[in-house]
Amino acid sequence: LSVSRGHSILAVHAGTMDPTSAPGQVWRLPLLAATGGKQTTGASLGRYNRHSARRRATMQGGTVVGSLGPATPNGVVFQDVDSVRCVDPLTGELLWVRSDVPPACELFGNDEIVIAQPVAGGEYLLLDTRDGRKIGSIDLPADRLLLTAGTNLATIRTASDRSLEVKLIDAATGDVVLEHRYPHGSDVRAIEPGCWVAMEPTGRLYY
């Protein structure tokens, strides 16, 4: 299990099926932002809204730190200020690092592709999970983020008729996988790790 504590990234052994077995720390990596290194400010948390239960670790002044990305057999990906790093999931040994990625990105993906989404907007960067090589970039609508699952992300926006429009997009290709509008007055909430639920004013429930 990989965990971001804001000031560090750590891996925890979840134990066995034995209920008396206590989890143990496998490795811990301190982050530059929390150890007096280079700082970055002005990262907006506006994408995190009442529809999404996600929270980001921040320092005083709103600096986003400890952005944790996909954790796969090919590596654990995280961002430390303006560098994206990938480490061995068992040892924490550095596998690759890139320093040309905007700070405070949303990181998601799978064992093949890492997608870096700048919080402030702009093109999404596509990186190879195995070696950090840039595969390409893609421009997607800057709607509010609802959730991510693999290379898919769900966004939500209020349409001109005040309905809530939810789109599920494959960020690796830009293809819209699913699109649905819920009438004005609906309540839409993310249920991690990869679902959302919507309640219409009529009481009809979508899951």
Side-chain angles (χ1 to χ4, degrees), residues 26-137:
V26 180
W27 50 260
R28 175 182 174 274
L29 298 174
L31 296 180
L32 181 64
T35 56
K38 181 181 177 182
Q39 302 288 315
T40 179
T41 59
S44 170
L45 298 181
R47 289 184 183 275
Y48 294 85
N49 51 82
R50 69 180 183 87
H51 304 289
S52 176
R54 292 190 171 189
R55 297 291 183 270
R56 294 286 285 275
T58 62
M59 296 181 66
Q60 186 175 4
T63 302
V64 178
V65 294
S67 179
L68 184 63
T72 75
N74 286 335
V76 177
V77 180
F78 61 93
Q79 187 165 26
D80 186 5
V81 192
D82 57 357
S83 69
V84 172
R85 301 171 183 267
C86 180
V87 300
D88 186 283
L90 298 180
T91 65
E93 179 184 356
L94 181 65
L95 300 177
W96 56 261
V97 59
R98 292 191 67 102
S99 300
D100 57 348
V101 179
C105 281
E106 176 76 17
L107 298 175
F108 58 101
N110 53 32
D111 58 354
E112 296 181 352
I113 299 176
V114 176
I115 299 168
Q117 173 197 21
V119 173
E123 288 188 328
Y124 292 46
L125 298 178
L126 309 181
L127 309 176
D128 192 312
T129 306
R130 295 160 294 190
D131 56 16
R133 175 175 50 88
K134 182 178 177 181
I135 301 172
S137 60

Side-chain angles (χ1 to χ4, degrees), residues 5-23:
R5 298 188 63 193
H7 54 73
S8 62
I9 302 290
L10 57 90
V12 177
H13 189 284
T16 66
M17 296 300 290
D18 182 355
T20 64
S21 177

